Amino acid sequence: LAKTTQPISMDSYEGQEVNITCSHNNIATNDYITWYQQFPSQGPRFIIQGYKTKVTNEVASLFIPADRKSSTLSLPRVSLSDTAVYYCLVGSSGGYNKLIFGAGTRLAVHP
Amino acid sequence: DVKVTQSSRYLVKRTGEKVFLECVQDMDHENMFWYRQDPGLGLRLIYFSYDVKMKEKGDIPEGYSVSREKKERFSLILESASTNQTSMYLCASRGTGRTNEKLFFGSGTQLSVL
C-alpha cells in the first residue's frame, strides 16, 4: 500500500498560486493519485485525479512526473475560501482496496 | 449527484453503551468505508467493505465492528463505547470500474462518549 507524505501546513495570500506536493515513493503500477479538499465539519470532497503527466480541471491542476513518486496539486489564484485541508490519496480501482489517507496539508489563505 | 447519508450529525452516548452509526449511499457502489477523524491525525480507516457481507479491517479496527447486509447500507458498531472513541466519524462510498473511481463522503457524525 502506497504511503503518502505531505507538508503539515502552508500559508498563502489571496491571488497567489499555491503548490502542494505529495510524496508516494512506493506507488504501484495500477495506482491513481487523487486529491481531496476538506472544510471544517464537512466530509472531504474530490478535487482532481490523475495517473501521469498533467491533468487540469476548472479548479486545479495536477502535475505527475514520469517516475510517479510524487505529485503536485496546483491551485491558481487562491481566495480565502480555499482555506481547507488538502489530502493526497493513492490507490487503485480494484474492489479490494484499502484506501489510506495521509495527515493532509492545512492551507491557510490570508487577505 | 451521489448521496452518502449518515443517520446522525451529532450523537451523545454514555460509556459502555452499544452505539450504531448508519450510512446509506444511493449509487449502487460496491465499496464502502468508515473513517474516524481526530484533530491533527487526519482520516484513519476503521473498516471497509467491498461487497455485501464482506468486510476488511482498516488501520484501527479495535473496539469496532461493522455490518453490511444490503449493498446500500454500511453500519459501524461500537460494542461498548469508551471515551477514547469520541471523534468525528465519516462514511464514504466508491464504485468499481476500469477507471479509478472517486470517494464520496457523508457529512460526518460527531460522536461524544461521556
Side-chain angles (χ1 to χ4, degrees):
Chain A
L1 296 167
K3 182 182 174 183
T4 60
T5 304
Q6 305 172 230
I8 292 174
S9 64
M10 295 181 69
D11 288 275
S12 183
Y13 292 91
E14 284 189 289
Q16 289 189 334
E17 179 184 75
V18 171
N19 295 309
I20 306 174
T21 297
C22 178
S23 297
H24 28 80
N25 290 320
N26 58 340
I27 188 170
T29 303
N30 293 336
D31 285 344
Y32 283 74
I33 300 152
T34 312
W35 285 81
Y36 292 86
Q37 176 191 55
Q38 186 181 27
F39 297 113
S41 301
Q42 295 184 25
R45 66 176 188 176
F46 172 89
I47 301 175
I48 197 166
Q49 184 180 84
Y51 183 81
K52 60 180 179 181
T53 63
K54 177 184 174 183
V55 178
T56 297
N57 63 21
E58 62 276 8
V59 297
S61 294
L62 178 59
F63 298 92
I64 306 168
D67 66 5
R68 303 199 329 122
K69 293 187 176 183
S70 67
S71 58
T72 299
L73 174 72
S74 181
L75 304 172
R77 298 179 299 283
V78 294
S79 64
L80 297 177
S81 63
D82 292 314
T83 294
V85 179
Y86 292 83
Y87 293 96
C88 160
L89 181 66
V90 174
S92 71
S93 62
Y96 186 89
N97 196 349
K98 183 175 172 179
L99 297 177
I100 304 294
F101 282 81
T105 298
R106 187 171 298 274
L107 172 66
V109 179
H110 306 281
Chain B
D1 265 359
V2 174
K3 200 166 189 179
V4 179
T5 304
Q6 295 184 231
S7 54
S8 305
R9 188 74 179 93
Y10 299 97
L11 211 52
V12 180
K13 296 292 181 181
R14 296 201 177 275
T15 302
E17 279 192 76
K18 190 169 185 175
V19 181
F20 292 87
L21 301 183
E22 306 286 347
C23 176
V24 177
Q25 49 95 2
D26 66 357
M27 279 300 291
D28 202 37
H29 283 167
E30 292 83 359
N31 306 299
M32 296 187 75
F33 305 79
W34 275 107
Y35 294 88
R36 67 175 279 177
Q37 186 169 36
D38 301 288
L41 295 179
L43 289 95
R44 293 183 290 167
L45 181 64
I46 306 172
Y47 268 97
F48 71 102
S49 168
Y50 54 93
D51 203 349
V52 174
K53 297 191 186 296
M54 307 305 289
K55 60 186 179 184
E56 290 292 335
K57 294 180 180 179
D59 286 347
I60 52 164
E62 297 77 19
Y64 303 94
S65 62
V66 290
S67 173
R68 184 124 182 247
E69 296 296 318
K70 293 184 178 181
K71 192 174 187 179
E72 68 270 17
R73 186 180 297 270
F74 192 34
S75 303
L76 181 68
I77 304 156
L78 287 65
E79 296 289 343
S80 178
S82 63
T83 54
N84 63 11
Q85 292 178 309
T86 290
S87 186
M88 169 69 85
Y89 290 88
L90 288 158
C91 174
S93 76
R94 195 183 78 150
T96 301
R98 282 187 292 177
T99 57
N100 198 261
E101 298 281 352
K102 57 189 178 186
L103 282 167
F104 293 88
F105 282 86
S107 297
T109 296
Q110 180 62 53
L111 173 67
S112 297
V113 182
L114 307 177

